[in-house]
Amino acid sequence: MKRILSILLCLVLVVSLCAAASADYKPGQFQLKIATVTSGSHPWVQMGDYIAKELNERSNGAIEVTVAPGGQLGTDEATIDDMRLGTLDMVIGGTQNAAPFVSQLQVLSMHYLFPSRDIFEASLVQGGDVFNYIQGKYEEQGLGLKLLGLCNSGRRDMHTTKAVNSLADIKGLKMRVTSSQTESDVWSSLGVIPQSMAFNDIYSAAQSNTVSAFECTLSAYNSNALYEVAPYHIATGHQFTPSHVTISEISWNRLPAEFQDLLYEVVGEACLLGNELADDADDSLLDTLVAEKNVIVCEPDLEEFRNAVEPMWDTIAKSCKGEDFLSLIQAQF
């Protein structure tokens, strides 16, 4: 009986301490804002919504998160700068657009580098070698950023205003690319005329014939209604989209240790959700777009594309000082 009473007293003490700890924080005491350039049902938006919901519930309302989709707070590059200044808390975006800050990230986006989706997603695990390498570069360069997670946001394909059935068909096309120098160099070598611009400018650029081609995931293609201005889906499958969730160190340091741990845990879960959403879209969304949005699918010979790109890997890695990163990634295959 004494043992049971002791156990009960311990439980009461634990509950009391937890209640006291919770009472230390007021509802909405910690405010976080997450920026992303995509909109609608895109995985990045759903990941942000998941983070907001879980953090609020698990902190008993102490953490309130606002998700700003659709580039409301600026381009990826602008929002990363804002995080460094501490005027924005978090970003969910593509690592290609973080390459101006960490040049080695260009390696992660090299076309046809990863042999399968499963291998790609496994390489991005929170706390793994790739994750730690990127965080190390954040610290080495004094960026004032903390990496919280990496995920796959879908397979990237080309989309155009005209049919493309071979590598020769893309020569001379004006094509929107990200701000990554690697992307520009690779597509230029394949014969297109690269046009660097923000993601949210693609629709109007394609509509006005400023560009006649771009590449993105099916989720982004669908959620931004890009099929309206570029109805051809060219199944190049040249890349899986490496995406990051990053927080400003200033924002991170404002959180108590217990909420830092909670945030890290929740972002890890959100990244797994991002992988799942991207995989589902890649496996099923194209059929819906063909049936409901009159999207036309072209399937060129991928060996043509792959053979043209693979010889560039070492050159790209050297140009961005990422030879060690390329070796680290390839060692996981």
Side-chain angles (χ1 to χ4, degrees), residues 230-242:
Y232 291 90
H233 170 85
I234 318 304
T236 51
H238 53 272
Q239 183 191 103
F240 299 107
T241 305

Side-chain angles (χ1 to χ4, degrees), residues 13 45 58 82 105 190 193 238 240 293-294 304 307 322:
L13 180 60
V45 178
R58 296 191 212 177
D82 287 342
L105 285 174
L190 297 180
I193 303 171
H238 53 272
F240 299 107
K293 305 299 181 182
N294 300 315
E304 263 195 308
N307 291 339

Side-chain angles (χ1 to χ4, degrees), residues 216-267:
C216 66
T217 65
L218 279 171
S219 292
Y221 183 63
N222 177 57
S223 62
N224 292 275
L226 294 173
Y227 49 79
E228 294 177 352
V229 292
Y232 291 90
H233 170 85
I234 318 304
T236 51
H238 53 272
Q239 183 191 103
F240 299 107
T241 305
S243 303
H244 69 104
V245 184
T246 295
I247 188 170
S248 163
E249 277 191 349
I250 295 171
S251 302
W252 174 260
N253 291 332
R254 281 202 298 260
L255 297 173
E258 64 193 276
F259 287 162
Q260 289 177 345
D261 292 342
L262 176 61
L263 176 58
Y264 188 81
E265 178 183 346
V266 169
V267 170

Side-chain angles (χ1 to χ4, degrees), residues 76-92 95 97-102 105 131-149 244-253:
D76 271 326
E77 296 91 333
T79 54
I80 291 173
D81 266 332
D82 287 342
M83 280 196 296
R84 298 183 65 196
L85 295 171
T87 55
L88 175 65
D89 302 301
M90 294 174 62
V91 164
I92 303 175
T95 60
N97 292 319
F101 301 89
V102 178
L105 285 174
F131 180 98
N132 290 336
Y133 181 94
I134 296 170
Q135 178 57 40
K137 291 302 175 184
Y138 280 179
E139 295 169 2
E140 182 182 307
Q141 298 180 35
L143 294 176
L145 303 173
K146 181 174 180 59
L147 183 64
L148 295 177
H244 69 104
V245 184
T246 295
I247 188 170
S248 163
E249 277 191 349
I250 295 171
S251 302
W252 174 260
N253 291 332

Side-chain angles (χ1 to χ4, degrees), residues 156 174-178 195 197-199 202 211 213-215:
R156 300 181 79 85
K174 290 183 178 180
M175 180 176 176
R176 178 267 177 180
V177 298
T178 69
Q195 307 286 313
M197 64 179 65
F199 177 82
I202 293 176
V211 299
F214 54 88
E215 53 87 46

Side-chain angles (χ1 to χ4, degrees), residues 49 67 69 81 84 121 125 143 155 257 297 329:
D49 290 343
V67 181
D81 266 332
R84 298 183 65 196
E121 292 177 356
V125 65
L143 294 176
R155 191 184 80 171
V297 178
I329 290 170

